[in-house]
Amino acid sequence: MSLLQDKELTAITIADIMIPAEKVAHVQENNPLEHALLVLVKSGYSAVPVLDSTYKLKGTIGKTRILNEILGLERFEIDLLSDLRVQDVMITDIPRLLKEDTLIDGLKASIDYPFVCVVDKEGYFDGILTRRAILKEFRKDFFSGRNKQPK
Ligand code: AMP
């Protein structure tokens, strides 16, 4: 049995279930928009964190936001992909979690977001918490003990 299976749901922290920074695809705020779109398309992610050169979290950027930004009246203005930078388009008003926060804090923060960024007290990027990771913990808890896993 894993350590996490032994833990009460309410005792699980963000550190237990987050994806660490080194495994998270990201872009930098001064990258051209074209680079961000390439990272998103190649990784298959709908959005990724945006960091500065010191690894501080600045926001997130997603495919839909980029495509909306370059959408002209009748066609996509492809030149804008090299003219604009990630910082011109990213979302900065995002929730943030600390590693010490609880699974329940993570649940509340991720209601409106498929993933939430995790930072330290100085704002340096530590990783992300996905809604998928939260749902997996609740599934484990629900089907343990008296509730049985369906076939
Ligand atoms: P998932 O729950 O795995 O479907 O992930 C939901 C969203 O979280 C993805 O669409 C991405 O925006 C983000 N995400 C998940 N894993 C990563 C990762 N390793 N690197 C960057 N973004 C990620």
Side-chain angles (χ1 to χ4, degrees):
M1 191 176 261
S2 77
L3 190 69
L4 273 188
Q5 279 170 315
D6 285 339
K7 272 195 179 181
E8 284 284 319
L9 207 51
T10 48
I12 294 173
T13 64
I14 302 304
D16 291 327
I17 56 171
M18 67 182 220
I19 303 176
E22 61 272 18
K23 292 189 179 161
V24 177
H26 73 272
V27 294
Q28 295 212 346
E29 58 181 348
N30 59 358
N31 288 152
L33 217 46
E34 185 171 28
H35 175 75
L37 190 57
L38 275 172
V39 169
L40 289 163
V41 171
K42 283 194 157 187
S43 65
Y45 297 131
S46 48
V48 291
V50 179
L51 310 183
D52 71 9
S53 55
T54 69
Y55 266 62
K56 271 197 172 172
L57 177 69
K58 292 292 164 178
T60 61
I61 189 156
K63 282 177 199 150
T64 310
R65 183 97 177 178
I66 295 176
L67 293 177
N68 263 323
E69 193 64 33
I70 66 166
L71 184 60
L73 278 183
E74 287 182 4
R75 62 180 191 92
F76 287 110
E77 314 271 353
I78 299 297
D79 290 347
L80 286 177
L81 285 176
S82 45
D83 295 347
L84 292 171
R85 310 243 146 216
V86 167
Q87 62 205 1
D88 303 323
V89 177
M90 67 186 181
I91 299 173
T92 54
D93 183 17
I94 51 165
R96 290 164 165 79
L97 288 163
L98 296 170
K99 276 182 178 179
E100 312 70 72
D101 288 337
T102 65
L103 175 68
I104 304 303
D105 296 321
L107 173 67
K108 289 181 195 158
S110 68
I111 298 272
D112 292 326
Y113 302 87
F115 74 96
V116 177
C117 294
V118 184
V119 290
D120 70 11
K121 290 198 172 89
E122 278 84 48
Y124 290 100
F125 182 64
D126 273 336
I128 60 168
L129 174 71
T130 62
R131 207 187 269 156
R132 179 199 295 268
I134 295 175
L135 288 173
K136 277 168 127 180
E137 289 311 315
F138 277 90
R139 182 182 60 184
K140 251 189 255 167
D141 185 75
F142 184 78
F143 290 116
S144 67
R146 63 198 156 82
N147 299 301
K148 287 224 170 83
Q149 190 79 253
K151 287 197 177 135

